[in-house]
Amino acid sequence: MSEECCSPSQNSLKANCPVNGMKGKRVQNITLKSLLTPRALETLNSQSNYFFCDSIDCPVVYFNEQGQTFIVDEVKVPVFQKDQGGQVPVCYCFNWTRDRILQEIQQTNHSTVESSIRTHIQAGRCGCEVNNPQGSCCLANVRKEVRNQ
């Protein structure tokens, strides 16, 4: 949970989602172990590579090369890419939701969310690999969300 959690991944392994055919991004097994429901976790193949499907119109969150899938209902937290609700975290580590970002922008006419998160990253406080369903840094999602407000 250091600054490296928000650095570009060295792992470029990719696979296609068995439901929609879109390329998925590799996630560490620690992400699945942290975020799958207990029942789903019982079926995790710890020897397999898992991938994150970020398509909004696909119920699959994680899949492996053998075709095993874990869907939205099998994840303990709402998934930013799959749920357009205001209370869904954009930053899972520091609880920046869509609504919180919007409220700050409406009240101050700007956003401090990215600088706030960067301060936490520099202090070694982020835990993206265990908190964020995509298993990686939220900053790209944060920037997109701020632009859309």
Side-chain angles (χ1 to χ4, degrees):
M1 328 271 174
S2 65
E3 230 176 295
E4 290 125 27
C5 78
C6 288
S7 299
S9 172
Q10 301 296 342
N11 191 344
S12 60
L13 188 61
K14 299 210 185 243
N16 294 347
C17 175
V19 171
N20 69 4
M22 300 298 290
K23 282 203 183 296
K25 186 183 123 265
R26 172 84 165 85
V27 292
Q28 298 176 46
N29 282 356
I30 189 67
T31 304
L32 282 80
K33 290 176 183 180
S34 299
L35 296 174
L36 289 177
T37 63
R39 179 164 284 166
L41 186 57
E42 290 176 359
T43 67
L44 178 80
N45 177 352
S46 64
Q47 303 304 308
S48 186
N49 291 315
Y50 284 90
F51 302 85
F52 178 76
C53 176
D54 67 0
S55 298
I56 189 172
D57 59 348
C58 183
V60 172
V61 178
Y62 303 114
F63 62 93
N64 67 11
E65 294 160 310
Q66 293 75 39
Q68 180 185 26
T69 62
F70 295 106
I71 61 171
V72 171
D73 292 343
E74 295 174 303
V75 180
K76 295 176 186 175
V77 296
V79 179
F80 171 77
Q81 291 84 350
K82 311 250 180 211
D83 185 332
Q84 296 304 301
Q87 291 302 309
V88 174
V90 181
C91 171
Y92 289 81
C93 296
F94 306 108
N95 198 34
W96 281 94
T97 63
R98 285 187 174 101
D99 284 350
R100 183 177 172 200
I101 292 170
L102 175 61
Q103 182 179 23
E104 181 189 41
I105 291 171
Q106 288 174 337
Q107 290 176 350
T108 67
N109 210 26
H110 74 283
S111 175
T112 63
V113 62
E114 185 173 351
S115 63
S116 172
I117 293 168
R118 285 191 181 283
T119 298
H120 290 302
I121 292 168
Q122 290 170 351
R125 297 183 189 119
C126 73
C128 305
E129 65 277 9
V130 296
N131 293 318
N132 188 338
Q134 73 186 25
S136 60
C137 187
C138 67
L139 286 176
N141 298 335
V142 167
R143 283 185 213 103
K144 180 180 175 186
E145 196 61 34
V146 168
R147 275 194 311 272
N148 289 339
Q149 297 302 332

